[in-house]
Amino acid sequence: GLQEPLYDDQIPGFYFLAECTGIEYDESYYNYAQLTANFIAYPFKISEFQDGHDIWDDFNFELDMVQDTIFEVNGTKDITLYNNGAIGINPTVICSNNIEVTKGNSVYKFKQGESKTWAFKLDKGINTLTLKGTGTIEFKWCKEVL
């Protein structure tokens, strides 16, 4: 089925990915009806804002952090990205040129432009990466929390 964003007014700044599995409609009430919708949802809330955003009105001081997510590379550069979500995440990577990213023993080759691969994941917590190439690279993701 198709999962769509489901917003809960009690949890501002986040949404769930959910699929509606059924609707019940009861008109047996005087002057109103009751609508019941059932959803199957992905179990993590997803932030409406990318990590590293600095929109202060929407900043959650318990969960958000300011960090650089865009890097200039000229040769080799070691960087740290912090994923403060509850689980690992697959970021979208945007490069101005082809750039190699080394994480642990794995090397990922990102081509110029925007890409996302299930192979490249930011683990929960601190991720130490080595960038190799010339140009700009940006990592975009929205944290997922319980």
Side-chain angles (χ1 to χ4, degrees):
L2 182 64
Q3 290 188 321
E4 295 285 339
L6 175 66
Y7 293 88
D8 182 339
D9 293 343
Q10 301 301 309
I11 310 173
F14 291 91
Y15 64 89
F16 295 87
L17 283 176
E19 176 184 356
C20 185
T21 57
I23 294 177
E24 297 166 21
Y25 189 73
D26 185 352
E27 291 185 67
S28 63
Y29 298 91
Y30 180 73
N31 278 347
Y32 71 94
Q34 180 175 320
L35 178 73
T36 305
N38 295 309
F39 294 93
I40 293 178
Y42 181 64
F44 295 94
K45 322 189 271 263
I46 300 166
S47 175
E48 287 186 64
F49 302 98
Q50 291 172 10
D51 248 52
H53 80 84
D54 55 4
I55 305 164
W56 287 105
D57 287 353
D58 296 304
F59 201 82
N60 179 327
F61 284 94
E62 291 176 26
L63 294 172
D64 291 345
M65 61 181 302
V66 174
Q67 66 177 322
D68 287 330
T69 55
I70 304 174
F71 302 92
E72 288 288 335
V73 188
N74 191 351
T76 304
K77 178 180 258 186
D78 292 327
I79 65 161
T80 301
L81 288 175
Y82 187 74
N83 171 16
N84 61 339
I87 58 172
I89 202 87
N90 299 91
T92 298
V93 178
I94 303 166
C95 303
S96 64
N97 279 317
N98 295 357
I99 294 184
E100 264 184 26
V101 177
T102 303
K103 178 180 172 235
N105 296 323
S106 301
V107 177
Y108 306 90
K109 295 177 191 269
F110 289 99
K111 295 196 181 320
Q112 178 180 357
E114 183 170 320
S115 59
K116 183 171 185 166
T117 171
W118 296 111
F120 179 68
K121 182 176 251 185
L122 293 178
D123 300 322
K124 178 182 173 183
I126 294 172
N127 293 265
T128 304
L129 309 173
T130 301
L131 310 177
K132 188 174 173 186
T134 303
T136 304
I137 185 168
E138 178 178 6
F139 300 89
K140 291 168 76 169
W141 75 93
C142 295
K143 71 174 161 289
E144 301 186 3
V145 296
L146 288 169

